[in-house]
Amino acid sequence: MRHDFQLSIITLLGACAVFGITPFAIFRFATGNLVAAIVDLLILASICVTVTYAWRTGDNRRSGFFLALCTCAGGTAVATVVGGVGLFWLYPAMVTNFFLTLPIIAVVINGLAVAGLMLHGQAFDSSEQMLSFATTCVVVSACAYIFARRNQHQRERLERLATHDPLTGAKNRRAMEEDMQAAVAGFERNDMPHVLILFDLDHFKRINDQFGHRQGDATLMECANLIQRYIRRTDTMYRFGGEEFVLIMPGVQETGTRAVAENLRHKLATELRCPGGRVTASFGVASLYAGDDVDSWMARADSALYEAKASGRNCVVIRERVPVTAPENGTVASPASPRPT
């Protein structure tokens, strides 16, 4: 729950609803108001089923929507059965809807609840009470909508800051490790092929030394933008550190890895420029194999990148799981040596 905001909201609000409604269900059974008591039990059952579904499936979007619909419909039903006393249950339901589902959907659900009660009319003692209730519901929903939108915006900003490099806009190392774990798990389940590409800008220190760090940062940003233009939407780029980047490419077969990496190397070599001339990059490539974990997969790609640097830079090295003793089509598979900058 500490790592899943939506699931924590569903769980906590579900628990509050259960503890808040249960005493009233017991009281209504005890006083003979069976219809209202049955409505309360149906609401409780729906909440429990929804929270259980969210925990078992992780489908927070559907769970939140159904919980919002359930609590609002339940509050409307209670108000219809018991009259004006039941109207008070709709206020917390309307506020919590904005935490359970999208703000615009919460507005629609709240509006339908108010409209249904006004059309039925039996829950109100007078037209003045009905108009007062409708007005207060609109005010409560408007305030909750503004707060929910603001909260959503702030949460999205924090999530982006936690997972993206502020300079290049690429994802950061933390996000990369999580996505690599997911790729390994996905490969174990359905054999989805993945390719890991590490690339490092050649002689990047010279750019910083000769033209300053401002120009170095500009080169890194231009590099990231260039790569983003030539990869697919399903591919993800990460800034690994300094001038080193990582690509995770799902669905790329092992036979196509060289063509993919060579195309990216060529694009950088021909289009990336700095005041000192063109900027090239060295590439290390590794496919995901059965039995791999994150460390072994990364180690092969990193070893290939070392080889690319040691072999003259501006080239692609593919590291197979079983090292190849002789290079083929530019592939180098000898033991890794210290990586030049």
Side-chain angles (χ1 to χ4, degrees):
M1 287 176 59
R2 284 178 294 181
H3 303 289
D4 192 327
F5 174 80
Q6 191 69 14
L7 180 60
S8 67
I9 289 294
I10 291 171
T11 304
L12 293 174
L13 293 181
C16 290
V18 169
F19 285 112
I21 295 172
T22 300
F24 285 90
I26 296 173
F27 173 77
R28 284 163 181 158
F29 268 116
T31 56
N33 192 349
L34 296 181
V35 176
I38 291 172
V39 171
D40 288 340
L41 287 180
L42 290 174
I43 296 172
L44 288 172
S46 300
I47 291 172
C48 292
V49 169
T50 302
V51 174
T52 302
Y53 174 81
W55 274 93
R56 291 179 63 88
T57 66
D59 188 354
N60 296 330
R61 183 178 62 84
R62 287 189 178 89
S63 300
F65 169 75
F66 185 77
L67 191 57
L69 193 64
C70 172
T71 54
C72 221
T76 303
V78 169
T80 302
V81 172
V82 302
V85 175
L87 293 174
F88 295 104
W89 285 103
L90 274 171
Y91 290 111
M94 287 181 175
V95 172
T96 55
N97 284 350
F98 289 93
F99 295 92
L100 295 170
T101 188
L102 295 175
I104 188 63
I105 296 177
V107 168
V108 173
I109 293 175
N110 291 356
L112 290 174
V114 173
L117 282 172
M118 293 180 69
L119 289 174
H120 188 267
Q122 298 300 314
F124 306 102
D125 296 331
S126 64
S127 298
E128 182 181 0
Q129 184 189 35
M130 181 173 67
L131 291 175
S132 297
F133 173 75
T135 302
T136 54
C137 284
V138 169
V139 172
V140 166
S141 295
C143 293
Y145 176 83
I146 294 170
F147 178 81
R149 287 299 301 269
R150 182 67 177 172
N151 181 63
Q152 182 183 22
H153 176 68
Q154 292 292 342
R155 190 169 68 251
E156 289 172 352
R157 281 193 63 191
L158 289 174
E159 288 175 352
R160 181 170 180 83
L161 288 172
T163 58
H164 286 73
D165 171 53
L167 177 65
T168 63
K171 286 191 173 184
N172 60 21
R173 187 167 182 167
R174 173 185 176 184
M176 181 197 74
E177 291 172 353
E178 292 177 354
D179 291 349
M180 287 183 69
Q181 290 281 6
V184 171
F187 184 79
E188 291 175 352
R189 288 194 305 267
N190 51 34
D191 292 331
M192 168 66 76
H194 283 77
V195 168
L196 185 68
I197 298 179
L198 273 67
F199 66 95
D200 187 287
L201 298 184
D202 299 325
H203 303 298
F204 183 75
K205 187 175 182 299
R206 295 181 185 175
I207 299 176
N208 283 331
D209 291 343
Q210 294 178 11
F211 306 104
H213 289 280
R214 185 184 296 271
Q215 179 58 51
D217 289 346
T219 302
L220 291 173
M221 289 188 288
E222 186 179 351
C223 171
N225 292 333
L226 181 64
I227 292 295
Q228 289 284 11
R229 290 203 302 269
Y230 291 109
I231 60 177
R232 305 166 302 172
R233 290 186 177 181
T234 54
D235 303 329
T236 309
M237 182 174 65
Y238 312 83
R239 188 180 178 192
F240 193 55
E243 68 274 19
E244 191 170 353
F245 294 85
V246 174
L247 291 169
I248 296 179
M249 297 182 154
V252 177
Q253 299 291 338
E254 187 176 357
T255 55
T257 56
R258 175 164 296 281
V260 170
E262 283 288 358
N263 178 63
L264 294 175
R265 183 200 62 77
H266 176 72
K267 294 297 184 183
L268 284 178
T270 55
E271 299 184 30
L272 186 59
R273 293 287 185 272
C274 76
R278 70 172 188 164
V279 179
T280 62
S282 302
F283 285 72
V285 183
S287 295
L288 183 60
Y289 294 101
D292 266 336
D293 56 19
V294 170
D295 292 335
S296 62
W297 191 21
M298 174 60 75
R300 282 203 316 279
D302 193 53
S303 174
L305 182 55
Y306 271 90
E307 289 294 338
K309 288 291 188 181
S311 301
R313 301 181 178 87
N314 191 24
C315 64
V316 173
V317 172
I318 299 175
R319 175 68 73 210
E320 309 289 349
R321 180 168 56 176
V322 179
V324 180
T325 57
E328 181 180 350
N329 296 327
T331 299
V332 180
S334 57
S337 56
R339 180 166 65 214
T341 59

